[in-house]
Amino acid sequence: MPYSYKGYQKKEKIPQPSILEEMIEYSRILAREFSYVRIDFAQTQSNAQIIEMTFTPYSGMIPFSDKAFDKELGDCIKLPIAS
């Protein structure tokens, strides 16, 4: 991706897990009921283990390196209207 969190730069390329497609499918199932959630996985032997589900990464306090991306990402989230 052409952006990063301010002050954070990944230094090395991390290889994709061999069960990435399985992790993506689990993410789709788990995230279905939420407006936003980040789901962290670990690969153990040959299966995926859910580590955590995060609903507010960095408490929404760390901006991206490009402010335009903050807006672009925010526009993707459709929150339900409270009744």
Side-chain angles (χ1 to χ4, degrees):
M1 295 182 198
Y3 50 84
S4 63
Y5 286 117
K6 279 190 175 176
Y8 176 81
Q9 294 292 326
K10 184 173 63 172
K11 305 231 185 302
E12 61 191 55
K13 184 172 179 152
I14 299 170
Q16 290 185 352
S18 61
I19 57 171
L20 179 61
E21 292 303 318
E22 182 181 346
M23 292 174 171
I24 291 171
E25 183 58 30
Y26 289 149
S27 294
R28 286 186 177 122
I29 293 166
L30 292 166
R32 206 176 307 174
E33 300 296 319
F34 304 105
S35 298
Y36 171 86
V37 63
R38 186 191 78 216
I39 303 170
D40 296 346
F41 290 93
Q43 181 173 345
T44 58
Q45 299 298 317
S46 62
N47 57 18
Q49 180 177 4
I50 299 167
I51 302 300
E52 71 176 339
M53 294 173 68
T54 304
F55 298 92
T56 55
Y58 295 110
S59 300
M61 302 300 291
I62 297 178
F64 287 98
S65 56
D66 181 346
K67 282 193 171 272
F69 187 71
D70 268 328
K71 170 95 170 85
E72 183 180 333
L73 189 60
D75 287 345
C76 294
I77 299 173
K78 306 296 181 218
L79 297 174
I81 297 173
S83 54

